[in-house]
Amino acid sequence: MILSRILRLAALAALVALAVAACKREPTPTDATAPAPRPQAAATSDDYDEHSYAEPDKVAIDDLALDLALDFDARTISGTATYTLDWRDDTATALVLDTRDLTIERAEGEGEGGSWQPLQFELAGRDDLLGSKLTIQAPERNTRIRVAYRTSPAASGLQWLEASMTEGKATPFMFSQSQAIHARSWVPLQDTPRVRYTYSAHVTSPADVMVLMSADNDPAAARDGDYSFRMPQRIPSYLMAIAAGDLVFKPISARAGVWAEPTMVDRAVAEFEDTEKMIATTESLYGPYRWERYDLLILPPSFPYGGMENPRLSFITPTVIVGDKSLVSLIAHELAHSWSGNLVTNSSAKDGWLNEGFTSYVENRIVEALYGKERADMEYVISRNGLKAEIERMSPEEQALAVRPGVVKDPDDSLSAVSYDKGAWFLQFLEERYGRAEFDAFLRGYFDHFAFQSIPTARFVDYAQKHLLDQYPGKVTREELEAWLYEPGIPASAPQVLSRNFGVVDSARLGWLGSGTVPPAAITDDWSTQEWVHFLEGLPQTLSIEQLSQLDTAYGFTGTPNGEIAQRWYPLVVRSGYLQAYPAIADFVRGIGRRKLIMPTYQALVATEAGLAFAKEQLEAARPGYHPITTGSVEKLIAEAKPAPGSGMPAVPAGVDPAEPKPDDADAADAEGGSSDAAEEAPAIPAADGDPTRPAPNGT
Ligand code: BES
Ligand code: ZN
């Protein structure tokens, strides 16, 4: 009590000091070069967000109105953001926003009678992780505040692609990726999932460009360079999204469809034709879809993720369009977020499993309902094998589902298998103990109860205590629940999943390793992506060149357009020194930006000196077309690499450059690497080369 009074007094004194300082100055930005101190986790508050400077307990954004212009030449977005505010604390007189690399031109507050008056503001120095804290003084606690700003061409949440890097080659493209904390690089915001607001936007662009947002996109809108959007449901900032390019629409059903570049749209509609069935299935399990339309936007291959659940418009990598619908669980996943994540949202990154674990569980239920139990089981086995391998490399505190404050350093790295696969496993455990009917009803109730709210794990625990543990006593103890949530490892009570099909795959692999006779087409012809993935994942760490080339001749792995296969094949090839595959490896890592697919190959490469040189060369060639998030991950890996001295494979042979190597280009591939010639001439992210959307040979 006494302590909290002292804290309040201290806060008041600080506010008075700030207000006095503000009065003395003109309403211009002060030059602050030091970053604001990082927010400290308050031990008492479960939903405290250490990755935002915002202070939503004092004042929160209720509605955001954007008026923006896209400039493809300057690679900037500029305009105004107008906030309607809910002043929650009687003593608050400042609005604190998150920004990263934004130029803030002015801040204004709306006075009586609708006139706008300048407000004093201060932009703190840049913190590498969190960006720059923007503090706007509003002694009159204006209901509406407006900020005029422009983005940097290097905004971490935007990618600008030249026309030559698109499928159609005629129109430039841009898109956002706001999760985890990149929305602040294109809109000044309270960039924390604790805050939910409605938004509207007016966006201008060149007339031949179609603009879409995570809002009410109209499939029939005229393409004229002037667009308006409205998102009437409250969303957290990481779900802000925008994309612009030569985008056309084709329907899948009355409420679902695909936006894509013209040459891609038919293939995408065919691959994702089950989307309406997925929506209907999820509704029958967990209640109505609450966002009206559900459309998919197919992005260029540089998109750094598989998918992003932007409300009403999931952003999707083209690498899952493989011709046989074998990778559509990604759509099930992003759709599932319409319940788990977008409707009920984790209040900070440390509770990320509430989004991703619930979603991975719901995804598997959708897959089971549409494609059968065997397919769902195969997917669970693959993801759990991945989880088991990953968990071994993690510290004990990272292995908890609900991690303690301070454990998640960079929330972009919170994409760990723990939140996804241990999270889904925990829910499957609860389903098994309580029975499917009871557990489905529980989840439906949970989504209803917390709809449009952002919550920490503790709120889920209270709800589960009341609606599961207390309601059906004797099935799960509080200790079991807490072991799953707060302890490392996988509890012994975890249900085991086996796949019949994978039994066949295991025998085929063992047979080949023993006898040298490759599994016959009569067996492998029916294999889907999941079986090939399992086949590859069960192979030894390295194989002989003869073994690799035998597999390659039989199944054509090198050069596969299926990224899930490539993700497993190329690291094996690199570890084994199978040099024939290097041109295809270069094509693969340059042509795709989806981190999950390419990082394992980069990881294998940087383990040797020659591989590290080759990796650096690929990064330089790909850099102009890579997304800032992908560039950051690859740079970090290369900077931290510790290749064994004089290690591994022979120097990469000359002429592996897929971009028409010139005879005098041998140096480019030398073990020392890094020729700038090679970097200049290589087509970064070649949309047509190594097209990940071509149907796969051999059913892969
Ligand atoms: N919301 C995530 C992507 C994300 C998470 C971006 C955390 C930034 C920080 C998205 O729904 C996702 O999980 N994508 C996965 C899909 C996969 C698990 C089916 C991906 O991109 O691989
Ligand atoms: Zn997800």
Side-chain angles (χ1 to χ4, degrees):
M1 279 299 276
I2 295 172
L3 186 67
S4 74
R5 277 196 60 186
I6 295 173
L7 283 174
R8 273 178 75 102
L9 281 173
L12 253 174
L15 271 170
V16 169
L18 262 175
V20 170
C23 291
K24 287 190 197 139
R25 278 180 255 134
E26 285 303 294
T28 48
T30 49
D31 343 310
T33 43
R38 288 202 178 160
Q40 291 300 307
T44 46
S45 164
D46 284 323
D47 59 5
Y48 190 80
D49 184 353
E50 60 209 89
H51 297 109
S52 168
Y53 287 114
E55 299 171 346
D57 294 333
K58 296 183 178 163
V59 53
I61 299 174
D62 214 27
D63 179 73
L64 166 71
L66 294 170
D67 196 348
L68 302 175
L70 308 186
D71 184 336
F72 281 88
D73 295 326
R75 299 187 162 202
T76 59
I77 298 180
S78 60
T80 58
T82 306
Y83 317 94
T84 304
L85 299 169
D86 172 14
W87 291 91
R88 294 173 173 173
D89 180 327
D90 292 346
T91 65
T93 53
L95 171 65
V96 176
L97 299 176
D98 294 295
T99 76
R100 182 186 289 124
D101 300 332
L102 295 180
T103 303
I104 305 297
E105 279 152 7
R106 52 179 200 278
E108 296 161 313
E110 191 182 30
E112 301 281 311
S115 67
W116 291 88
Q117 307 299 330
L119 294 178
Q120 173 83 34
F121 66 95
E122 180 184 32
L123 191 62
R126 182 183 197 277
D127 178 276
D128 275 351
L129 184 62
L130 302 185
S132 305
K133 174 178 180 177
L134 172 64
T135 308
I136 301 170
Q137 299 302 335
E140 294 182 13
R141 301 159 54 90
N142 313 65
T143 302
R144 292 211 300 164
I145 287 183
R146 181 162 83 186
V147 172
Y149 72 98
R150 90 178 41 246
T151 63
S152 152
S156 63
L158 299 176
Q159 188 178 16
W160 300 85
L161 290 163
E162 281 170 20
S164 62
M165 288 173 183
T166 64
E167 281 272 311
K169 312 258 180 266
T171 314
F173 202 106
M174 71 83 60
F175 64 88
S176 66
Q177 167 57 39
S178 295
Q179 200 180 11
I181 53 171
H182 300 286
R184 64 188 67 177
S185 77
W186 65 281
V187 188
L189 277 170
Q190 290 182 310
D191 197 9
T192 165
R194 287 179 66 193
V195 176
R196 311 181 72 101
Y197 54 89
T198 53
Y199 83 84
S200 60
H202 172 239
V203 183
T204 58
S205 72
D208 57 340
V209 162
M210 183 71 208
V211 179
L212 304 173
M213 290 192 80
S214 52
D216 60 343
N217 301 294
D218 176 4
R223 195 195 284 201
D224 58 3
D226 192 302
Y227 306 96
S228 293
F229 305 92
R230 186 136 186 79
M231 169 43 84
Q233 288 101 337
R234 288 176 181 279
I235 60 161
S237 58
Y238 75 88
L239 296 177
M240 294 295 295
I242 187 164
D246 183 9
L247 292 166
V248 296
F249 177 81
K250 282 253 166 101
I252 290 172
S253 70
R255 60 174 164 175
V258 171
W259 288 95
E261 284 197 63
T263 51
M264 184 68 100
V265 73
D266 288 326
R267 268 182 292 165
V269 167
E271 194 85 18
F272 304 136
E273 65 181 1
D274 295 338
T275 303
E276 174 58 40
K277 280 191 213 142
M278 290 184 176
I279 306 173
T281 298
T282 323
E283 285 189 309
S284 73
L285 288 169
Y286 307 118
Y289 178 75
R290 307 213 197 193
W291 307 85
E292 299 174 38
R293 291 200 61 81
Y294 182 70
D295 295 321
L296 306 172
L297 168 64
I298 313 304
L299 289 158
S302 65
F303 184 53
Y305 292 102
M308 178 64 215
E309 65 273 26
N310 298 316
R312 298 182 183 216
L313 184 69
S314 286
F315 283 21
I316 302 295
T317 174
T319 61
V320 290
I321 306 175
V322 287
D324 63 0
K325 299 190 197 170
S326 62
L327 301 177
V328 297
S329 59
L330 176 85
I331 307 300
H333 181 98
E334 304 313 335
L335 169 69
H337 272 306
S338 307
W339 285 260
S340 42
N342 299 4
L343 196 58
V344 183
T345 308
N346 56 223
S347 51
S348 74
K350 60 189 182 301
D351 297 304
W353 81 278
L354 289 178
N355 278 21
E356 298 303 342
F358 276 68
T359 295
S360 301
Y361 170 81
V362 173
E363 164 198 339
N364 198 268
R365 293 293 304 275
I366 299 171
V367 168
E368 181 186 324
L370 262 75
Y371 307 106
K373 176 110 171 64
E374 178 57 28
R375 166 95 165 254
D377 286 350
M378 287 195 287
E379 297 200 344
Y380 262 161
V381 172
I382 290 172
S383 63
R384 285 173 193 176
N385 286 343
L387 168 66
K388 286 174 203 156
E390 201 173 312
I391 230 169
E392 282 175 16
R393 300 190 295 266
M394 296 172 98
S395 65
E397 67 266 22
E398 288 171 331
Q399 297 175 24
L401 271 181
V403 297
R404 304 279 168 213
V407 173
V408 176
K409 299 282 183 286
D410 179 348
D412 276 353
D413 299 334
S414 64
L415 261 176
S416 94
V418 168
S419 11
Y420 285 79
D421 306 316
K422 184 175 169 181
W425 210 343
F426 169 45
L427 298 187
Q428 192 200 12
F429 157 80
L430 292 177
E431 179 203 316
E432 202 183 73
R433 288 284 181 92
Y434 289 105
R436 186 166 267 196
E438 291 75 8
F439 189 65
D440 286 355
F442 164 78
L443 268 194
R444 189 182 178 134
Y446 166 83
F447 291 133
D448 273 345
H449 185 81
F450 293 110
F452 298 107
Q453 292 184 47
S454 303
I455 60 167
T457 299
R459 300 286 298 282
F460 161 78
V461 172
D462 292 346
Y463 190 83
Q465 178 72 45
K466 185 156 173 235
H467 296 274
L468 286 177
L469 276 65
D470 294 348
Q471 190 166 342
Y472 309 104
K475 300 213 184 269
V476 173
T477 64
R478 181 79 182 204
E479 290 69 37
E480 284 174 313
L481 188 84
E482 292 188 354
W484 273 99
L485 291 170
Y486 307 117
E487 301 293 326
I490 306 298
S493 56
Q496 296 306 314
V497 171
L498 288 175
S499 148
R500 193 170 14 87
N501 290 5
F502 283 178
V504 176
V505 174
D506 288 333
S507 313
R509 188 192 321 98
L510 262 180
W512 171 64
L513 286 167
S515 71
T517 309
V518 290
I523 293 183
T524 60
D525 270 355
D526 287 342
W527 283 6
S528 65
T529 302
Q530 285 72 27
E531 277 119 330
W532 285 112
V533 163
H534 187 68
F535 180 79
L536 291 170
E537 288 192 334
L539 289 171
Q541 274 291 96
T542 57
L543 290 175
S544 72
I545 303 304
E546 292 69 36
Q547 285 174 310
L548 290 164
S549 85
Q550 192 191 12
L551 289 181
D552 226 359
T553 309
Y555 309 123
F557 291 137
T558 299
T560 173
N562 186 319
E564 294 287 334
I565 309 271
Q567 181 200 329
R568 277 89 180 175
W569 175 246
Y570 292 133
L572 170 67
V573 151
V574 168
R575 288 192 300 268
S576 310
Y578 180 65
L579 300 180
Q580 294 90 310
Y582 273 67
I585 293 179
D587 264 348
F588 174 62
V589 298
R590 291 181 190 193
I592 291 177
R594 184 178 175 195
R595 295 189 309 172
K596 177 197 142 188
L597 298 185
I598 60 172
M599 290 311 286
T601 299
Y602 272 115
Q603 265 146 14
L605 283 168
V606 303
T608 66
E609 285 182 346
L612 176 60
F614 182 77
K616 286 180 182 165
E617 203 183 304
Q618 303 323 309
L619 172 63
E620 288 324 308
R623 191 185 288 277
Y626 267 178
H627 188 284
I629 291 176
T630 307
T631 307
S633 299
V634 179
E635 275 177 344
K636 183 161 179 265
L637 185 75
I638 286 177
E640 290 171 3
K642 290 194 194 67
S647 53
M649 55 183 228
V652 178
V656 298
D657 190 336
E660 300 163 30
K662 286 188 288 193
D664 63 351
D665 224 1
D667 285 349
D670 189 85
E672 293 303 308
S675 152
S676 53
D677 280 353
E680 269 162 34
E681 71 183 27
I685 313 287
D689 291 353
D691 180 354
T693 65
R694 262 183 284 131
N698 304 331
T700 65

